[in-house]
């Protein structure tokens, strides 16, 4: 039996849609009535063709094969290429990090200094309001981490995913299920990605570890990503509509929807079935984005880590990155600029490129004039004089202790034994932090500034007693207060760096546009202080 995501045509009745699904040989097992998207199971091998004959149905996409066969997990995510690059420096402990901020590890946060989220900057003017809710659409959030727990809204947090032990070929995906029904709790993160994002946005100023961009706002875990780091259509749709109906002010989306890096409506390189699947992903995601935007949710997304200009024709050799049917594998295809990565290229979404410590665009960050809205610190571990990996160039944020132990990153006494993990201890309690890089790390900086804007200028929300602000106003404030940064000179910039093994790498990238708006930095690097004194 296979599982699919089916898109209902707009304005058809639920009865008509259900009858059409049944006529195609399917059974609805989950339904999002807000945007007309359903998860359907079917043992009809011709189900996709059958759906295409139903006038009440708009589209269909593979979801997964039903089955289990636990093996060692293989990790895969949008940011897997650049999240973490092991450096050669020594492990930094909390004892060796001094700070005038009161946060023991604040001196490591070059990223917060770059956007003026500091005690004499935005923290003093506007640290955020507890009534502002930021949804973390990601792999989950460790709600018990000492530097997240004070701001974690457990009541509103939800998990929209179910662990998938294996893919269609029987290979390991998420691994054995740890909880009943393969559904993790709403305060759980088996990857660390979502926890890092949440910490960057809203770790509190509590004299423990480090603080986030908006240290007083509330974190809501809206888990839409698998343990493996894959992100599928139905959870994203469900997460966005839930955010819209529950007063979430800002959401951060540091991922793309698998299995297609770019979705093309009618690329001749794709089969008719794959074209239909990609059209379905575009339409279903946009319906959910519109639903959220129209109900007051500011939508912030990572621009991608593909080293390429999204406004040009590119080569995609990674899609589909998940075998939804046995034997399916990635293939080379040319993708014109009309093809879109979702959700970052969706309407009303704010795509964020990444900068390194020197404020240059990070070597891995995707770009494009008219695509990137703003830039923000995402880390660049080779942004140094030697162009060699150094974890100090990454973004430091909270890391689940359980994962550090499971991955063998700690000594028997609990001290880190890898350079990309540090710990902070206070009153006999310790917490861990990791250095990562990626546009996944840039996006939450912009989302944090957006949360400060809502905190500063929002008005009471009658729906939930919180604050709210029109997302178009938030976007104008975010872009209008960013610090403009012009293209490098010459505009065609050659990045050169060395990997941890000593191999030399290069990437040639061209920046187009003016100082006020260009492909590398959009309207500029976000600025928390400028935003709250707008």
């Amino acid at each position: 039996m296979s599982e699919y995501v089916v898109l209902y045509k707009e304005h058809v009745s639920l009865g008509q849609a259900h009858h059409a699904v049944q006529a195609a040989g399917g059974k609805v097992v989950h339904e999002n009535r807000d945007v007309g998207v359903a998860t359907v199971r079917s043992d009809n091998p011709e189900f996709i063709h059958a759906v295409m004959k139903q006038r009440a149905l708009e589209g269909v996409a593979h979801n997964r094969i039903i089955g289990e066969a636990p093996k060692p997990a293989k990790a895969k995510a949008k940011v897997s290429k650049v999240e973490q690059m092991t450096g050669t420096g020594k492990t930094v402990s909390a004892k060796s990090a001094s700070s005038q901020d009161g946060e023991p590890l604040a001196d490591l946060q070059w990223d917060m200094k770059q956007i003026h989220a500091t005690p004499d900057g935005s923290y003093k003017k506007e640290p955020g309001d507890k009534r502002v809710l930021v949804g973390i659409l990601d792999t989950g959030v460790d709600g018990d981490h000492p530097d997240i727990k004070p701001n974690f809204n457990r009541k509103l947090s939800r998990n929209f995913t179910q662990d998938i032990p294996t893919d269609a070929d029987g290979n390991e995906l998420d691994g054995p299920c740890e909880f009943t029904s393969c559904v993790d709790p709403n305060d759980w993160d088996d990857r660390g990605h979502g926890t890092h994002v949440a910490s960057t946005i809203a770790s509190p100023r509590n004299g423990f570890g480090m603080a986030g961009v908006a240290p007083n706002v509330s974190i809501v875990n809206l888990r839409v990503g698998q343990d493996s780091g894959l992100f599928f259509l139905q959870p994203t749709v469900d997460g966005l509509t839930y955010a819209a109906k529950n007063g979430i002010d800002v959401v951060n989306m540091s991922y793309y929807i698998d299995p297609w890096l770019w979705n093309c409506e009618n690329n001749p390189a794709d089969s008719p079935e794959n074209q239909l699947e990609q059209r379905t992903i575009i339409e279903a995601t946009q319906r959910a984005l519109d639903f959220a935007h129209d109900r007051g949710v500011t939508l912030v997304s990572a621009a991608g880590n593909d080293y390429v200009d999204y406004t040009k024709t590119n080569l995609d050799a990674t899609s589909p990155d998940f075998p939804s049917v046995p034997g399916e594998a990635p293939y080379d295809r040319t993708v014109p600029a009309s093809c879109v990565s979702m959700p970052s290229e969706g309407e009303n979404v704010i795509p964020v490129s990444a900068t390194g410590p020197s404020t240059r665009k990070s070597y891995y960050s995707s770009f494009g004039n008219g695509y990137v809205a703003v830039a923000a610190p995402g880390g660049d571990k080779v942004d140094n004089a030697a162009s060699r990996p150094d974890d100090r160039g990454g973004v430091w944020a909270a890391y689940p202790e359980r994962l550090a132990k499971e991955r063998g990153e700690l000594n028997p006494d609990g001290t880190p034994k890898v350079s990309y993990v540090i710990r902070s201890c206070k009153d006999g309690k310790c917490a861990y932090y990791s250095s990562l890089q990626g546009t996944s790390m840039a996006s939450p900086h912009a989302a944090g500034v957006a949360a400060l804007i809502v905190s500063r200028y929002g008005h009471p929300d009658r729906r939930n007693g919180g604050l709210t602000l029109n997302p178009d106003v938030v976007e104008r404030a975010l872009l209008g207060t960013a610090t403009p940064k012009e293209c490098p000179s010459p505009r065609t910039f050659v990045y050169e760096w060395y990997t941890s093994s000593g191999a030399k790498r290069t990437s040639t990238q061209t920046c187009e546009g003016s100082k006020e708006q260009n492909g590398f930095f959009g309207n500029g690097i976000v600025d928390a202080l400028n935003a709250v004194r707008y």
Side-chain angles (χ1 to χ4, degrees), residues 442-502:
S443 182
H445 286 86
V449 176
L452 291 179
I453 292 169
V454 179
S455 298
R456 187 70 172 173
Y457 311 109
H459 53 83
D461 188 344
R462 296 177 181 177
R463 298 171 298 175
N464 63 359
L467 294 178
T468 187
L469 189 61
N470 187 307
D472 293 334
V473 174
V474 178
E475 181 176 4
R476 285 197 296 270
L478 182 68
L479 274 58
T481 60
T483 303
K485 184 171 174 60
E486 59 189 355
C487 290
S489 182
R491 287 174 175 266
T492 297
F493 187 78
V494 180
Y495 290 89
E496 296 183 350
W497 71 95
Y498 296 87
T499 66
S500 54
S501 63

Side-chain angles (χ1 to χ4, degrees), residues 205-248:
R205 297 182 68 202
N206 57 357
F208 200 111
M210 56 185 61
V213 178
N216 285 6
V217 304
S218 296
I219 296 167
V220 181
N221 174 25
L222 303 179
R223 177 172 168 180
V224 299
Q226 304 296 135
D227 291 347
S228 58
L230 291 170
F231 291 79
F232 296 120
L233 177 59
Q234 184 78 59
T236 289
V237 168
D238 291 344
L240 285 168
T241 56
Y242 177 88
K245 295 165 70 175
N246 287 274
I248 306 301

Side-chain angles (χ1 to χ4, degrees), residues 518-534:
N518 59 66
F520 275 18
F521 306 100
N523 285 354
I525 300 174
V526 298
D527 192 299
L529 180 57
N530 284 348
V532 297
R533 63 184 183 191
Y534 180 49

Side-chain angles (χ1 to χ4, degrees), residues 89-168:
K90 296 180 180 179
T91 300
V92 181
S93 69
K95 293 180 180 178
S96 65
S98 61
S99 175
Q100 299 176 351
D101 182 20
E103 301 301 293
L105 304 179
D107 287 348
L108 299 175
Q109 294 183 284
W110 60 266
D111 53 318
M112 298 301 170
K113 297 179 181 68
Q114 189 175 108
I115 66 171
H116 302 117
T118 58
D120 59 349
S122 62
Y123 291 166
K124 183 177 181 179
K125 188 78 172 177
E126 177 57 76
D129 190 302
K130 199 77 171 179
R131 294 172 294 174
V132 174
L133 306 175
V134 181
I136 314 299
L137 273 70
D138 216 290
T139 62
V141 176
D142 179 1
D144 288 322
H145 191 286
D147 235 1
I148 286 179
K149 189 173 183 178
N151 287 340
F152 186 68
N153 189 319
R154 200 176 304 268
K155 182 178 179 180
L156 281 179
S157 293
R158 295 289 186 274
N159 177 10
F160 299 99
T161 69
Q162 182 176 11
D163 287 353
I164 305 173
T166 61
D167 63 23

